[in-house]
């Protein structure tokens, strides 16, 4: 019995945070409010060993259209390459955020509480002419009304591939 209790405690310690853990944290993060209008971001991807693999900046424009937030992201990577992703976000009656984007397989879903938003989705990742489907575990934390931090873990078949870290800033 004692071994079973120890195993239960060990497994509970492995469970990650839940978005509800941040329910009391301020300021309250509302993605539709934060991403409306222009937003800038700067980020990096670190591989599973923690080495910096990519740096980038992002220019974003958010607008309301047909009850959804349309977020147009334009990435510029340090090597000069560019990428564009257009998200369509809506807050569902189930209190979840539902999102579609061209390189997301199916629908991204996220839950918000307090200053946090937690997304999970599968991303189609182009690498050297091939496309891989990777799992994204994405956390956003509002720092103040103009600043947000984002950290996303990328994995494939449960194996960690790396981390994406972004800093978002709204213009004054």
């Amino acid at each position: 019995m004692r071994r079973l209790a120890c195993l239960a405690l060990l497994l509970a310690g492995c469970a990650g945070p839940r978005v509800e853990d941040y329910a009391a944290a301020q300021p309250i993060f509302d993605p539709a409010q934060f991403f409306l209008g222009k937003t800038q971001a700067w980020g990096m991807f670190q591989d599973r060993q923690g080495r910096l693999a990519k740096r980038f900046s992002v220019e974003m424009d958010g607008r309301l259209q047909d009850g959804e937030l349309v977020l147009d992201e334009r990435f510029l990577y340090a090597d000069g390459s560019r990428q564009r992703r257009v998200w369509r976000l809506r807050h569902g009656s189930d209190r979840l955020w539902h999102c579609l984007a061209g390189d997301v397989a199916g629908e991204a879903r996220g839950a918000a509480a307090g200053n946090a938003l937690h997304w999970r989705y599968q991303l189609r990742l182009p690498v050297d002419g091939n496309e891989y489907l990777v799992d994204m575990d994405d956390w956003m934390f509002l720092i103040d009304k103009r600043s947000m931090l984002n950290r996303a873990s990328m994995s494939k078949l449960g194996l960690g591939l790396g981390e994406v870290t972004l800093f978002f800033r709204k213009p004054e």
Side-chain angles (χ1 to χ4, degrees):
M1 184 68 161
R2 186 176 176 145
R3 286 185 190 163
L4 185 59
C6 288
L7 179 60
L9 283 173
L10 179 65
L11 291 175
C14 293
R18 299 171 313 130
V19 73
E20 295 84 9
D21 296 341
Y22 302 99
Q26 296 288 322
I28 300 297
F29 181 36
D30 177 358
Q33 182 180 350
F34 183 81
F35 287 117
L36 194 59
K38 298 209 177 288
T39 308
Q40 292 180 299
W42 302 266
M44 63 181 177
F45 173 74
Q46 293 171 276
D47 66 20
R48 74 180 92 193
Q49 286 83 27
R51 291 183 297 241
L52 179 63
K54 284 192 176 237
R55 289 179 298 121
F56 56 91
S57 61
V58 189
E59 296 287 331
M60 291 171 271
D61 289 305
R63 69 183 186 287
L64 293 176
Q65 181 180 323
D66 301 325
E68 295 180 323
L69 174 67
V70 177
L71 184 59
D72 188 353
E73 298 179 313
R74 291 166 314 284
F75 294 81
L76 175 59
Y77 292 91
D79 66 4
S81 64
R82 297 177 180 273
Q83 182 183 13
R84 184 174 181 207
R85 177 178 298 126
V86 178
W87 291 95
R88 299 187 70 82
L89 297 86
R90 68 177 169 74
H91 198 224
S93 59
D94 57 2
R95 297 177 41 197
L96 294 177
W97 284 92
H98 299 264
C99 305
L100 300 171
D103 57 353
V104 171
E107 181 180 72
R109 289 192 182 135
N115 73 334
L117 177 67
H118 182 215
W119 297 101
R120 288 185 187 265
Y121 55 94
Q122 289 190 310
L123 183 68
R124 292 183 190 98
L125 185 66
V127 178
D128 298 328
N130 295 311
E131 185 177 271
Y132 298 94
L133 197 59
V134 298
D135 297 312
M136 301 297 293
D137 186 8
D138 199 337
W139 284 89
M140 295 179 166
F141 295 95
L142 189 63
I143 304 303
D144 59 41
K145 67 181 183 176
R146 294 182 47 230
S147 309
M148 184 186 56
L149 289 174
N150 181 199
R151 183 155 185 193
S153 300
M154 182 185 296
S155 63
K156 176 82 175 162
L157 302 173
L159 177 65
L161 301 175
E163 301 278 335
V164 178
T165 306
L166 288 125
F167 173 71
F168 293 82
R169 188 78 172 159
K170 297 292 289 183
E172 294 201 42

